[in-house]
Amino acid sequence: VGMNMGGKTAAMQLLGLCQVLAQHALPVPAERFCTRLFGCVRWGPGPDGPEIDGLSAFGREVARLCAIWRETAAAEPALVFMDEPGRTTNPREGEALAVAWVEAFHRRGRARVTGVVATHFGRVMSIPGMSIHRIRGVDPGRLREDEEPGDRVRRLRGAVDYRIERCDAADVPEEGIAVATWLGAPDEVVAAARAVLRRAEDGAGVDQGGECGTEPAAGAAGAGRGGECGTGRAADETRPDGPCGRGTGRGNVEEGDQ
């Protein structure tokens, strides 16, 4: 859970790096790292890139997740990182797909898949068994209105608290409008955005794409499962039911997936 530029992806990448190092019996950059060995480690949907394969960003996302689905079934147990699945299509269907992917991996069971997910879709957080962590986010006390506009980006970066803590769905931070205001969004745009939120809270609702009828997604969830699908720990450790900070060199990590 956390704002954009809050460090969710970086935290997941660090966790993946620690896992790969441990599996190859290399030092892990942590005071303590508890994990188990996985048959494979996979990352998806993957970074945006040029359309050299003839597919759109959404097409590449689906193709990558389908490949992960097949590869992890053949090399269990698997550790799967999903960085904002569903973000490359319209919000309504994107959220439905994100929920469906997470639930599909969950149904494989704890012994077969551990999942870590970052998402901006609120319904992903409502999946039973979800273990949610949040980036603490912006410290308002470190932002001052008297700062010169040219310094505001630098000040914003310095005001973000990147530490990670457990939370529940009710603690999801909503900092987008505050950050947009700080960065100089026009007053009329900020006022209109707040009015959209009020209408949604009153039951009128505004779709994430701007049409009436559904509620907007809430925040971003770093997930996985504390139950059958995995831990969902975005930056500390994976499952504590294996050797701490040690690997045997076994396991298969596909080059380029981290």
Side-chain angles (χ1 to χ4, degrees):
V1 178
M3 57 183 283
N4 276 333
M5 74 178 239
K8 298 185 302 300
T9 298
M12 291 171 62
Q13 290 172 334
L14 177 59
L15 178 58
L17 172 64
C18 289
Q19 179 65 38
V20 172
L21 291 172
Q23 294 211 173
H24 289 81
L26 295 172
V28 172
E31 292 183 359
R32 182 174 180 269
F33 183 71
C34 293
T35 187
R36 60 169 172 166
L37 296 177
F38 291 95
C40 67
V41 179
R42 294 293 182 267
W43 180 285
D48 294 333
E51 299 182 17
I52 58 175
D53 49 13
L55 293 175
S56 66
F58 177 63
R60 290 195 300 274
E61 175 182 324
V62 173
R64 178 60 186 148
L65 288 173
C66 288
I68 291 173
W69 179 262
R70 294 190 299 270
E71 292 164 4
T72 54
E76 297 170 346
L79 176 59
V80 176
F81 295 90
M82 288 191 287
D83 189 11
E84 298 189 29
R87 66 180 174 179
T88 55
T89 189
N90 69 80
R92 183 167 177 269
E93 290 183 300
E95 183 171 32
L97 285 166
V99 171
W101 277 114
V102 173
E103 289 183 334
F105 279 109
H106 168 58
R107 284 193 293 271
R108 287 188 174 180
R110 169 182 173 179
R112 301 174 66 189
V113 178
T114 294
V116 183
V117 183
T119 181
H120 283 279
F121 297 130
R123 290 191 180 100
V124 174
M125 287 182 292
S126 67
I127 296 174
M130 199 62 87
S131 175
I132 305 174
H133 290 70
R134 59 172 282 176
I135 307 290
R136 289 189 177 182
V138 175
D139 178 1
R142 300 179 68 179
L143 298 178
R144 299 200 310 269
E145 291 298 330
D146 59 352
E147 292 289 336
E148 292 295 327
D151 293 329
R152 292 201 167 200
V153 173
R154 177 182 58 81
R155 290 285 299 172
L156 179 60
R157 290 172 180 165
V160 177
D161 185 342
Y162 295 99
R163 288 176 293 178
I164 296 173
E165 61 188 4
R166 275 186 179 270
C167 71
D168 56 40
D171 294 328
V172 174
E174 294 185 345
E175 301 169 317
I177 293 178
V179 170
T181 302
W182 173 255
L183 292 177
D187 291 343
E188 57 266 35
V189 172
V190 173
R194 296 191 187 281
V196 168
L197 290 182
R198 286 194 297 270
R199 289 199 299 271
E201 291 169 357
D202 292 340
V206 174
D207 185 86
Q208 293 163 314
E211 298 178 0
C212 296
T214 60
E215 62 183 9
R225 294 204 175 253
E228 292 189 355
C229 188
T231 65
R233 299 184 180 181
D236 45 2
E237 71 266 7
T238 53
R239 299 202 60 83
D241 49 359
C244 291
R246 294 180 295 157
T248 65
R250 290 178 293 171
N252 172 31
V253 181
E254 183 177 82
E255 184 176 355
D257 282 340
Q258 294 305 314

